[in-house]
Amino acid sequence: MRRFFTPGWLGLHALAIVLFVAFLGFGWWQFERAQSGNDRSWAYTFEWPIFACFVIVMWVKMIRDELNGDSAPRAPKVIEDPVEAKVKQEIIRRQEEEDPELAAYNRYLARLNAQAGRPD
């Protein structure tokens, strides 16, 4: 539980509280305007408390993600069809025969892409 008392988390807690209170205050302000005859404010009267609930939902989700260790969403692995892989290899082979400079550049990009997928 100590991790939720770091400066970053304390800032997030404070931001959630400020936004929640502000959104409820905006809802109350719109309710008063609606009572005084501004018909458009009736929609905002219900909209602002929904925003306040959204802040709480996201705050709880962030805490749960931290507790579960989900720091970042993981991209699903792409499973390539063997036939598709052969077709790609044939296309690459033809491009390498036509333009060696382009082939070298493509190999460079493939290496960069492979390095980007590795966690450091």
Side-chain angles (χ1 to χ4, degrees), residues 7 11 28 31 49 56 58 60-61 63 65 70 89 91 94 98 101 120:
W28 184 257
F31 178 71
I56 297 301
M58 291 307 296
V60 169
K61 182 186 180 320
I63 289 176
D65 287 348
D70 296 339
Q89 288 174 356
I91 291 171
R94 286 184 185 174
E98 293 173 5
E101 187 175 325
D120 290 331

Side-chain angles (χ1 to χ4, degrees), residues 80-97:
E80 199 170 29
D81 186 24
V83 175
E84 185 178 343
K86 288 182 181 180
V87 169
K88 282 184 181 179
Q89 288 174 356
E90 180 62 25
I91 291 171
I92 291 170
R93 187 188 63 75
R94 286 184 185 174
Q95 285 178 347
E96 286 180 351
E97 288 176 357

Side-chain angles (χ1 to χ4, degrees), residues 92 95-96 99-111:
I92 291 170
Q95 285 178 347
E96 286 180 351
D99 190 356
E101 187 175 325
L102 177 63
Y105 182 68
N106 285 337
R107 284 191 298 274
Y108 168 72
L109 291 178
R111 186 180 47 139

Side-chain angles (χ1 to χ4, degrees), residues 1-115:
M1 285 302 168
R2 288 182 148 207
R3 66 181 131 183
F4 296 118
F5 294 109
T6 61
W9 273 103
L10 289 175
L12 287 173
H13 298 322
L15 179 66
I17 292 168
V18 167
L19 286 176
F20 180 75
V21 171
F23 290 170
L24 288 180
F26 292 153
W28 184 257
W29 171 60
Q30 289 295 333
F31 178 71
E32 289 176 350
R33 289 188 61 191
Q35 289 288 333
S36 66
N38 187 350
D39 290 337
R40 186 179 295 172
S41 292
W42 282 112
Y44 296 121
T45 298
F46 299 104
E47 187 176 80
W48 283 110
I50 291 171
F51 290 159
C53 291
F54 180 74
V55 168
I56 297 301
V57 167
M58 291 307 296
W59 178 71
V60 169
K61 182 186 180 320
M62 288 172 49
I63 289 176
R64 287 178 129 184
D65 287 348
E66 181 70 22
L67 289 174
N68 293 336
D70 296 339
S71 60
R74 296 184 182 105
K77 291 184 178 180
V78 178
I79 300 174
E80 199 170 29
D81 186 24
V83 175
E84 185 178 343
K86 288 182 181 180
V87 169
K88 282 184 181 179
Q89 288 174 356
E90 180 62 25
I91 291 171
I92 291 170
R93 187 188 63 75
R94 286 184 185 174
Q95 285 178 347
E96 286 180 351
E97 288 176 357
E98 293 173 5
D99 190 356
E101 187 175 325
L102 177 63
Y105 182 68
N106 285 337
R107 284 191 298 274
Y108 168 72
L109 291 178
R111 186 180 47 139
L112 287 177
N113 188 29
Q115 289 176 350

